[in-house]
Amino acid sequence: MNSSAVDDLFAELEMSYATGNIYYQTISAVLEAAQLVGISHREQLILAQPKNELMVHFPVRMDNGSYQLFKGYRVQHNNVAGPYKGGIRYHEDVYLDDIKSLAVLMTMKCALMRLPFGGAKGGLKLNPREVSQDELMRITRRFTAALGANIGPDYDIPAPDMGSNAQIMAWMADTYINFAEINNKVEARSVVTGKPLAFGGSAGREKATGQGVVDVLEVLTPGMGLTLSTCSYSVIGYGNVGSWTARLLSAKGAKLRAVLDHRGAIFHAKGLDAEALAIHVRETGSVVDFKGAKVISEEEFYACEVDMLIPAALEQMIHEGNASLINCKVLVEAANAPVTPEGEELLVARGVTILPAILCNAGGVTVSYFEWKQNRQSEQWDEETVDRRLKRIMTDAAHRVQQVAEKYECSLRIASYASAVEHLKEIYELRGIFP
Ligand code: GLU
């Protein structure tokens, strides 16, 4: 869809965005794919804006006795395929348009994977490193109470995202259970996924996003002339997704050349030890000062020659200001929306293949689905079962994206959205409009 057609649609909805706006960028690419698939105008209008945008403000008593006001978001984009699903981010820089854009990506991700979920995303404006554990718990419980009946096991199911984790999910579930009907307490814990194993979590959930990245690479890299056991790669961000992707790739023999995080960048020509680096980051909070590694600048990091560059941190990190420095064959989007359209244009012009986020990082939500299913059936699958089922879903989706890219002669990104939209279109046509 050309940008004027997108603008016409927005004008009809009385919405207007600057071209650099992340929601505008995401929804424009989705609508381009929707047009390829040929969905109706009515369905385009539905997809162009989230169903619900919730913003809550709530006070919390801090350790020193003072009260602080917090801001939280939950955007529910679409639920035609099933309950809303998506993580809740804890970060000091969360804004409504970021959350809206990430909610759209969740709709697309769940539809691409053919999971029985819609898409949502949440955010809490907070740097979790700046509060005590007790404060974090009280903030999380108040946030959950403020969301109230806007979340639920059959309605909207949050999960961890950047800055949140299994402990935070345990507090959310516990708070929700306290409000649940007396005869519904067991079912109520499936209100969130990504919980700790001992409290309804799933084996393999913590590493799931990284595992899914590796499963997708196993399908797609051979056709790109790369062999995982011998290729080199670099990573942006060494949190859950970055560190697990690196640990699993390095276990296959791939060489981790460089890592960039919020405090700096490191390099090793012969390869960094991904396991030892994960321990170092857990202890110190950053990759800098890792023993034996050379400290490099951000520019040197981007210019570092590797087969694969794997952004696994925030959105829009690769843009027109740094894309022309990048020296890789394949860019693997482990993060959501890490490349701006201008950055993408520069990379594509230089022959870099981009593997799209909604495919690469869908392992997390897929194992979330397994967790939700296990909770509802009172089952506990072992890690081998989880890994096997995850691999099957990731592999099928990777093949589907390849086939759709051939069918429409488009990029893998547009193909991933097109495959998702094909699924949503089919559901809309079957369901029709009430009444
Ligand atoms: N936050 C993850 C994502 O962006 C996981 C979402 C989920 O498990 O619901 O895909």
mmCIF file of all heavy atoms in Angstrom, residues 114-130:
data_model
loop_
_atom_site.group_PDB
_atom_site.id
_atom_site.type_symbol
_atom_site.label_atom_id
_atom_site.label_comp_id
_atom_site.label_asym_id
_atom_site.label_seq_id
_atom_site.Cartn_x
_atom_site.Cartn_y
_atom_site.Cartn_z
ATOM 1 N N ARG A 114 -0.348 -18.963 14.144
ATOM 2 C CA ARG A 114 -1.647 -19.668 14.216
ATOM 3 C C ARG A 114 -1.975 -20.051 15.662
ATOM 4 O O ARG A 114 -2.532 -21.129 15.922
ATOM 5 C CB ARG A 114 -1.671 -20.918 13.321
ATOM 6 C CG ARG A 114 -1.294 -20.647 11.853
ATOM 7 C CD ARG A 114 -2.247 -19.682 11.173
ATOM 8 N NE ARG A 114 -2.076 -19.648 9.724
ATOM 9 C CZ ARG A 114 -1.554 -18.614 9.036
ATOM 10 N NH1 ARG A 114 -1.140 -17.515 9.656
ATOM 11 N NH2 ARG A 114 -1.473 -18.649 7.723
ATOM 12 N N LEU A 115 -1.628 -19.175 16.613
ATOM 13 C CA LEU A 115 -2.003 -19.396 18.009
ATOM 14 C C LEU A 115 -3.418 -18.854 18.214
ATOM 15 O O LEU A 115 -3.805 -17.887 17.550
ATOM 16 C CB LEU A 115 -1.033 -18.659 18.956
ATOM 17 C CG LEU A 115 0.450 -19.002 18.815
ATOM 18 C CD1 LEU A 115 1.284 -18.142 19.768
ATOM 19 C CD2 LEU A 115 0.704 -20.475 19.090
ATOM 20 N N PRO A 116 -4.185 -19.414 19.161
ATOM 21 C CA PRO A 116 -5.565 -18.942 19.338
ATOM 22 C C PRO A 116 -5.642 -17.679 20.203
ATOM 23 O O PRO A 116 -6.383 -17.614 21.185
ATOM 24 C CB PRO A 116 -6.235 -20.134 20.039
ATOM 25 C CG PRO A 116 -5.124 -20.744 20.830
ATOM 26 C CD PRO A 116 -3.861 -20.526 20.055
ATOM 27 N N PHE A 117 -4.838 -16.680 19.851
ATOM 28 C CA PHE A 117 -4.755 -15.440 20.619
ATOM 29 C C PHE A 117 -4.809 -14.220 19.704
ATOM 30 O O PHE A 117 -4.375 -14.286 18.544
ATOM 31 C CB PHE A 117 -3.418 -15.347 21.375
ATOM 32 C CG PHE A 117 -3.260 -16.305 22.528
ATOM 33 C CD1 PHE A 117 -2.048 -16.962 22.717
ATOM 34 C CD2 PHE A 117 -4.284 -16.524 23.439
ATOM 35 C CE1 PHE A 117 -1.864 -17.830 23.783
ATOM 36 C CE2 PHE A 117 -4.105 -17.387 24.513
ATOM 37 C CZ PHE A 117 -2.895 -18.053 24.683
ATOM 38 N N GLY A 118 -5.269 -13.121 20.276
ATOM 39 C CA GLY A 118 -5.153 -11.830 19.619
ATOM 40 C C GLY A 118 -3.890 -11.138 20.102
ATOM 41 O O GLY A 118 -2.979 -11.786 20.618
ATOM 42 N N GLY A 119 -3.864 -9.806 19.986
ATOM 43 C CA GLY A 119 -2.641 -9.089 20.345
ATOM 44 C C GLY A 119 -2.878 -7.936 21.294
ATOM 45 O O GLY A 119 -3.853 -7.180 21.156
ATOM 46 N N ALA A 120 -1.979 -7.797 22.283
ATOM 47 C CA ALA A 120 -2.024 -6.678 23.235
ATOM 48 C C ALA A 120 -0.604 -6.384 23.700
ATOM 49 O O ALA A 120 0.311 -7.156 23.432
ATOM 50 C CB ALA A 120 -2.887 -7.049 24.434
ATOM 51 N N LYS A 121 -0.427 -5.286 24.377
ATOM 52 C CA LYS A 121 0.865 -4.990 25.003
ATOM 53 C C LYS A 121 0.630 -4.035 26.149
ATOM 54 O O LYS A 121 -0.290 -3.210 26.105
ATOM 55 C CB LYS A 121 1.802 -4.336 23.987
ATOM 56 C CG LYS A 121 3.249 -4.412 24.381
ATOM 57 C CD LYS A 121 3.775 -5.810 24.146
ATOM 58 C CE LYS A 121 5.254 -5.909 24.225
ATOM 59 N NZ LYS A 121 5.729 -7.116 23.527
ATOM 60 N N GLY A 122 1.469 -4.149 27.167
ATOM 61 C CA GLY A 122 1.355 -3.246 28.304
ATOM 62 C C GLY A 122 2.691 -2.603 28.606
ATOM 63 O O GLY A 122 3.738 -3.056 28.140
ATOM 64 N N GLY A 123 2.621 -1.569 29.405
ATOM 65 C CA GLY A 123 3.864 -0.912 29.804
ATOM 66 C C GLY A 123 3.680 -0.218 31.131
ATOM 67 O O GLY A 123 2.582 0.236 31.474
ATOM 68 N N LEU A 124 4.763 -0.165 31.889
ATOM 69 C CA LEU A 124 4.758 0.583 33.144
ATOM 70 C C LEU A 124 5.963 1.512 33.086
ATOM 71 O O LEU A 124 7.085 1.052 32.827
ATOM 72 C CB LEU A 124 4.876 -0.389 34.323
ATOM 73 C CG LEU A 124 4.860 0.253 35.695
ATOM 74 C CD1 LEU A 124 3.517 0.932 35.973
ATOM 75 C CD2 LEU A 124 5.117 -0.797 36.769
ATOM 76 N N LYS A 125 5.679 2.809 33.298
ATOM 77 C CA LYS A 125 6.759 3.800 33.176
ATOM 78 C C LYS A 125 7.596 3.782 34.449
ATOM 79 O O LYS A 125 7.275 4.447 35.432
ATOM 80 C CB LYS A 125 6.149 5.178 32.931
ATOM 81 C CG LYS A 125 7.058 6.125 32.204
ATOM 82 C CD LYS A 125 6.275 7.341 31.754
ATOM 83 C CE LYS A 125 7.175 8.397 31.137
ATOM 84 N NZ LYS A 125 7.968 7.926 30.027
ATOM 85 N N LEU A 126 8.659 2.998 34.432
ATOM 86 C CA LEU A 126 9.459 2.785 35.640
ATOM 87 C C LEU A 126 10.786 2.125 35.264
ATOM 88 O O LEU A 126 10.804 1.215 34.424
ATOM 89 C CB LEU A 126 8.687 1.817 36.561
ATOM 90 C CG LEU A 126 9.476 1.115 37.650
ATOM 91 C CD1 LEU A 126 9.610 2.025 38.869
ATOM 92 C CD2 LEU A 126 8.801 -0.193 38.075
ATOM 93 N N ASN A 127 11.876 2.563 35.896
ATOM 94 C CA ASN A 127 13.128 1.833 35.751
ATOM 95 C C ASN A 127 13.206 0.851 36.910
ATOM 96 O O ASN A 127 13.417 1.249 38.055
ATOM 97 C CB ASN A 127 14.309 2.807 35.787
ATOM 98 C CG ASN A 127 15.631 2.077 35.645
ATOM 99 O OD1 ASN A 127 15.676 0.838 35.735
ATOM 100 N ND2 ASN A 127 16.697 2.821 35.425
ATOM 101 N N PRO A 128 13.016 -0.465 36.633
ATOM 102 C CA PRO A 128 12.931 -1.429 37.740
ATOM 103 C C PRO A 128 14.219 -1.507 38.556
ATOM 104 O O PRO A 128 14.191 -1.954 39.698
ATOM 105 C CB PRO A 128 12.636 -2.761 37.043
ATOM 106 C CG PRO A 128 12.976 -2.565 35.619
ATOM 107 C CD PRO A 128 12.887 -1.113 35.311
ATOM 108 N N ARG A 129 15.338 -1.048 37.971
ATOM 109 C CA ARG A 129 16.610 -1.091 38.716
ATOM 110 C C ARG A 129 16.655 -0.017 39.806
ATOM 111 O O ARG A 129 17.489 -0.077 40.699
ATOM 112 C CB ARG A 129 17.795 -0.860 37.767
ATOM 113 C CG ARG A 129 17.968 -1.959 36.733
ATOM 114 C CD ARG A 129 19.326 -1.806 36.040
ATOM 115 N NE ARG A 129 19.408 -2.694 34.900
ATOM 116 C CZ ARG A 129 19.185 -2.318 33.639
ATOM 117 N NH1 ARG A 129 18.894 -1.061 33.368
ATOM 118 N NH2 ARG A 129 19.270 -3.185 32.660
ATOM 119 N N GLU A 130 15.750 0.956 39.724
ATOM 120 C CA GLU A 130 15.809 2.073 40.675
ATOM 121 C C GLU A 130 14.894 1.917 41.884
ATOM 122 O O GLU A 130 14.789 2.828 42.698
ATOM 123 C CB GLU A 130 15.487 3.389 39.947
ATOM 124 C CG GLU A 130 16.692 3.900 39.187
ATOM 125 C CD GLU A 130 16.378 5.111 38.324
ATOM 126 O OE1 GLU A 130 15.233 5.590 38.342
ATOM 127 O OE2 GLU A 130 17.315 5.539 37.627
#
